[in-house]
């Protein structure tokens, strides 16, 4: 009995050793009725990236006589979805290969042909194969498959798409940090259903726990760009990583991180300063696309650093003729928001406006003029530029929206190029009634209209059009800011109170009909003695109680 038991154990041990040594020979010698060994029983792949080992697909590939490298070369050589679907009839029975074929189909298929490909019967068979054997698909290929299904515009409630998302969620903790970064770029922009939003939250929590594993700039950029809006805690932890890798970032990666900060309105000065410093230190010519995006982000975050703005202006100057009208108006608008004046760049943009004026839309030209007004810039060819503006916009005023019309006329007033026709259009009752005295409208437009009205009264004697009534000017006047005085204003007010102890001889925070406030006002007679303000006519304030004219030799300060 003991001898039989020993013999039986010996045979089982020998069989186990032969299985470990040559699994391929066992598969080839095993009859068809004998099922292949389960993947979990094989000790050959101890570091498989998924829940099941990848030995079974590898064995099938060897048995078929074609390596994975050869298969990838075959599908990459296909240039159309039809060729790939034809290949799927031979290699689509393996889930890994089916996923690779779907990924390649997504790369070569145009948006117009997506519906035809998705409705193809062979594509449905590929999805079925993937769904049946989804546990054995490699991690990187699974993430690529999820991206491809979104590119092929599968409905978010599609069962195959939901199956892939569920499998991805199960494997999150087994993905490398680099793969988690790639997954973030895939799933975050497409998260619409509750299940997808939960997947994004789980992904963010996983990266939060493993943020110290980030070792390359690409992963860092992917994480910040995609997950910074999901988790503020993660963004705070990534700040140290950005400072560590700032020197290694390419301009494009710096642009991506800065845009991610701007999208979240996160004004992280350490990150912005580090990125801008290394942009200046490198002798690399920035592309126009990178410059325009950086300018937009800096303007939104109100980050003005003279050295990096100077570099961007210098790099952009020779590229101005190549810029589209939209790019040109966008970059000068960003410079004006940052209050950075670069004369050569502004001259180049003004010259480009003269050369391509027919291609500029009224909105784009108005935006450029508004930017010039903020920078207080007049082109060297002032008359020619002004003539072009009048010719292009005089007939387009009716097509401009009220806010854009007010911005345009206000800009021309600042540049002292306004004409009575532009003033009359902005001061029409149907225009100013939309902003004046309306608490729901931005106060800056009320102020601009007040200043336009003052320009029509004081600087354009030939103007004979309508003016804004005094009642509306009073109702729309913003507060004078007496409760928010700066230290300098407070000191000056205290000194004036010592000089003018009588309250009626000095007034503070006076509201004017011109849209400006006077910090302090007083009147001296010819002998330098203060006079009471309330006794004299004050035409520049909203409500004047005096009736007397100033005596001879008196001065109003």
């Amino acid at each position: 009995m003991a001898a039989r038991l020993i013999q039986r154990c010996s045979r089982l041990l020998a069989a186990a050793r032969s299985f470990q040594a040559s699994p391929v020979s066992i598969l080839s010698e095993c009859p068809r009725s004998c099922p292949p060994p389960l993947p979990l029983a094989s000790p050959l792949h101890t570091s498989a990236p998924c829940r099941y080992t990848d030995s079974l697909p590898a064995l099938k590939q060897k048995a078929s006589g074609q390596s994975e490298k050869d298969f990838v070369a075959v599908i990459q050589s296909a240039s159309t979805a039809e060729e790939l679907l034809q290949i799927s009839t031979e290699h689509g029975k393996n889930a890994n290969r089916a996923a690779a074929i779907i990924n390649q189909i997504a790369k070569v298929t145009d948006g117009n042909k997506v519906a035809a490909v998705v409705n193809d019967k062979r594509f449905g068979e590929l999805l079925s194969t993937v769904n049946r054997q989804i546990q054995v698909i490699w991690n990187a290929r699974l993430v690529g498959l999820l991206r491809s299904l979104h590119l092929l515009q599968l409905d978010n409630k599609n069962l195959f798409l939901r199956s892939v998302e569920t499998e991805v969620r199960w494997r999150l903790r087994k993905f490398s940090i680099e793969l988690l970064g790639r997954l973030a770029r895939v799933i975050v922009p497409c998260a619409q259903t509750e299940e997808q939003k939960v997947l994004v939250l789980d992904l963010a929590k996983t990266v939060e726990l493993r943020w110290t594993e980030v070792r390359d700039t690409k992963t860092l950029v992917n994480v910040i760009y995609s997950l910074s809006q999901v988790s503020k805690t993660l963004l705070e932890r990534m700040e140290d990583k950005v400072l560590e890798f700032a020197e290694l970032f390419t301009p494009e990666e710096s642009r991506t991180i800065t845009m991610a900060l701007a999208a979240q309105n996160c004004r992280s000065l350490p990150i912005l300063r580090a990125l801008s410093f290394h942009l200046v230190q490198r002798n690399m010519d920035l592309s126009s696309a990178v410059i325009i995006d950086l300018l937009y982000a800096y303007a939104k975050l109100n980050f003005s650093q003279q050295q990096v703005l100077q570099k961007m202006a210098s790099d952009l100057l020779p590229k101005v003729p190549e810029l589209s009208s939209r790019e040109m108006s966008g970059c000068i608008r960003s410079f004006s928001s940052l209050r950075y004046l670069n004369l050569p760049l502004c001259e180049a943009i003004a010259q480009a406006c003269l050369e391509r004026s027919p291609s500029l839309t009224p909105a784009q030209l108005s935006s450029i003029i508004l930017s010039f007004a903020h920078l207080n810039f007049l082109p060297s060819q002032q008359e020619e530029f002004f003539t072009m503006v009048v010719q292009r916009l005089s007939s387009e005023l009716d097509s401009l929206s009220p806010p854009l019309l007010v911005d345009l006329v206000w800009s021309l007033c600042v540049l002292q190029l306004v004409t009575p026709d532009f003033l009359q259009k902005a001061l029409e009752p149907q225009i100013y009634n939309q902003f004046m005295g309306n608490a729901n409208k931005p106060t800056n437009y009320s102020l601009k209209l007040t200043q336009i009205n003052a320009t029509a009264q004081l600087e354009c004697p030939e103007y004979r059009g309508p003016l804004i009534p005094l009642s509306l000017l009073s109702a729309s006047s913003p507060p004078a800011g007496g409760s928010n005085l700066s230290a300098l204003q407070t000191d000056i007010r205290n000194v004036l109170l010592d000089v003018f102890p009588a309250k009626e001889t000095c007034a503070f925070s006076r509201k004017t009909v011109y849209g400006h406030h006077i910090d302090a006002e007083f009147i001296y007679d010819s002998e330098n003695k203060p006079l009471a303000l309330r006794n004299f006519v004050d035409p520049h304030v909203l409500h004047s109680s005096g009736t007397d004219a100033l005596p001879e030799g008196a001065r109003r300060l």
Side-chain angles (χ1 to χ4, degrees):
M1 189 97 180
R4 289 183 181 180
L5 182 60
I6 291 174
Q7 291 176 1
R8 186 176 182 184
C9 290
S10 300
R11 287 195 298 270
L12 290 174
L13 180 61
R17 287 177 177 173
S18 63
F19 171 76
Q20 294 180 9
S22 180
V24 177
S25 60
I26 292 177
L27 283 179
S28 58
E29 295 174 4
C30 184
R32 298 196 176 192
S33 60
C34 179
L38 292 175
L40 288 176
S42 175
L44 295 180
H45 298 271
T46 58
S47 59
C50 58
R51 283 180 286 164
Y52 301 90
T53 64
D54 298 332
S55 59
L56 185 57
L59 293 176
K60 289 184 177 181
Q61 291 168 15
K62 291 181 180 179
S64 64
Q66 186 180 35
S67 67
E68 179 67 19
K69 183 177 179 180
D70 295 335
F71 168 73
V72 171
V74 169
I75 63 173
Q76 287 182 348
S77 64
S79 58
T80 63
E82 179 59 34
E83 295 178 14
L84 291 166
L85 290 173
Q86 184 62 35
I87 294 174
S88 70
T89 58
E90 302 176 6
H91 301 279
K93 304 304 179 184
N94 179 299
N96 256 311
R97 294 192 171 185
I101 293 173
I102 293 175
N103 293 344
Q104 192 65 20
I105 288 175
K107 291 180 181 179
V108 302
T109 304
D110 296 333
N112 299 332
K113 301 179 181 178
V114 165
V117 172
V118 172
N119 293 328
D120 193 289
K121 181 180 179 180
R122 293 166 293 181
F123 186 81
E125 293 175 354
L126 287 174
L127 292 178
S128 299
T129 301
V130 166
N131 191 46
R132 287 195 304 269
Q133 307 174 30
I134 195 168
Q135 295 88 352
V136 300
I137 298 178
W138 301 335
N139 288 340
R141 195 162 284 178
L142 183 67
V143 173
L145 176 63
L146 181 59
R147 175 179 179 273
S148 299
L149 295 181
H150 282 295
L151 289 177
L152 293 172
Q153 303 173 14
L154 264 69
D155 186 78
N156 287 325
K157 297 182 180 180
N158 185 280
L159 294 178
F160 295 108
L161 177 60
R162 293 175 63 183
S163 175
V164 173
E165 291 173 347
T166 302
E167 182 66 20
V168 167
R169 188 180 177 190
W170 276 102
R171 295 196 199 180
L172 278 180
R173 295 188 178 183
K174 298 183 179 181
F175 285 171
S176 65
I177 192 66
E178 293 79 12
L179 201 54
L180 290 174
R182 289 172 51 190
L183 176 62
R185 292 295 288 264
V186 172
I187 190 60
V188 172
C190 306
Q192 297 180 0
T193 65
E194 289 300 322
E195 293 82 0
Q196 291 171 340
K197 293 177 181 177
V198 170
L199 175 58
V200 171
L201 293 177
D202 289 346
L203 174 60
K205 292 178 182 177
T206 303
V207 177
E208 281 182 22
L209 296 174
R210 299 172 56 186
W211 69 275
T212 56
E213 298 179 25
V214 176
R215 292 290 184 270
D216 63 288
T217 58
K218 185 176 182 180
T219 302
L220 181 58
V221 170
N222 287 339
V223 169
I224 292 180
Y225 181 79
S226 302
L227 297 178
S228 60
Q229 301 183 47
V230 180
S231 171
K232 292 184 178 180
T233 304
L234 180 61
L235 180 60
E236 294 173 358
R237 293 177 178 176
M238 287 293 105
E239 184 175 294
D240 294 335
K241 286 290 182 180
V242 172
L243 298 178
E244 179 183 347
F245 291 107
E247 187 177 359
L248 304 177
F249 285 134
T250 64
E252 288 74 17
E253 290 172 336
S254 297
R255 181 259 307 268
T256 302
I257 292 179
T258 308
M259 291 291 288
L261 295 177
Q264 198 177 351
N265 286 325
C266 177
R267 193 172 183 265
S268 176
L269 289 179
I271 293 179
L272 294 173
R273 287 169 179 167
L275 295 178
S276 61
F277 173 79
H278 290 293
L279 282 175
V280 174
Q281 291 300 310
R282 293 195 191 99
N283 292 324
M284 297 178 61
D285 188 24
L286 302 179
S287 66
S288 57
V290 169
I291 293 174
I292 292 171
D293 286 345
L294 284 175
L295 284 173
Y296 169 78
Y298 286 166
K300 188 173 182 181
L301 296 173
N302 193 24
F303 176 73
S304 181
Q305 209 274 343
Q306 296 297 313
Q307 287 80 7
V308 72
L309 292 178
Q310 174 62 39
K311 175 175 174 56
M312 289 192 289
S314 301
D315 290 349
L316 189 62
L317 180 59
K319 301 181 178 68
V320 169
E322 304 170 4
L323 298 178
S324 66
S325 301
R326 181 179 179 182
E327 292 172 338
M328 187 170 61
S329 62
C331 72
I332 192 61
R333 186 68 178 268
S334 298
F335 274 120
S336 69
S337 298
L338 295 170
R339 296 296 189 270
Y340 180 77
L341 173 61
N342 184 278
L343 290 176
L345 180 63
C346 290
E347 286 286 358
I349 291 178
Q351 182 62 36
C353 290
L354 290 173
E355 294 174 355
R356 63 173 81 169
S357 60
S359 64
L360 288 169
T361 65
Q364 291 169 348
L365 185 55
S366 300
S367 176
I368 293 174
I369 297 172
L370 178 62
S371 302
F372 285 169
H374 283 156
L375 296 173
N376 197 22
F377 168 77
L378 279 174
S380 57
Q381 300 178 348
Q382 177 179 340
E383 294 184 3
E384 186 177 353
F385 184 81
F386 172 65
T387 302
M388 180 271 294
V389 169
V390 172
Q391 291 177 350
R392 286 283 290 114
L393 297 180
S394 294
S395 60
E396 301 287 347
L397 293 179
D398 292 332
S399 65
L400 299 179
S401 63
L404 186 58
L405 175 64
V406 173
D407 283 337
L408 172 63
V409 179
W410 177 84
S411 303
L412 293 175
C413 291
V414 171
L415 297 174
Q416 299 181 352
L417 299 176
V418 72
T419 63
D421 292 337
F422 284 87
L423 289 172
Q424 182 171 352
K425 190 64 181 177
L427 293 177
E428 289 180 350
Q430 59 267 32
I431 299 296
Y432 65 69
N433 282 332
Q434 297 186 37
F435 303 101
M436 306 298 290
N438 191 341
N440 297 325
K441 294 292 184 178
T443 56
N444 62 324
Y445 284 104
S446 300
L447 180 60
K448 286 181 178 181
L449 281 168
T450 303
Q451 295 171 355
I452 292 172
N453 188 71
T455 301
Q457 288 179 294
L458 303 178
E459 299 181 6
C460 192
E462 64 273 17
Y463 179 71
R464 297 294 183 269
L467 293 172
I468 301 176
L470 185 60
S471 58
L472 285 179
L473 290 176
S474 177
S476 301
S477 178
S483 60
N484 298 317
L485 297 177
S486 67
L488 177 60
Q489 288 174 316
T490 302
D491 291 341
I492 292 176
R493 178 172 290 196
N494 292 334
V495 171
L496 291 175
L497 288 174
D498 292 337
V499 176
F500 303 98
K503 294 183 179 181
E504 66 272 9
T505 59
C506 186
F508 300 98
S509 300
R510 303 272 277 177
K511 299 178 181 179
T512 70
V513 296
Y514 307 131
H516 303 288
H517 293 108
I518 298 176
D519 290 328
E521 182 181 15
F522 48 89
I523 299 176
Y524 273 118
D525 62 9
S526 59
E527 297 179 358
N528 290 332
K529 294 181 179 180
L531 301 176
L533 290 171
R534 67 172 183 270
N535 298 330
F536 304 100
V537 176
D538 202 351
H540 59 270
V541 298
L542 290 173
H543 304 288
S544 177
S545 59
T547 57
D548 300 337
L550 287 180
E552 185 177 356
R555 294 170 296 170
R556 185 189 300 273
L557 301 177

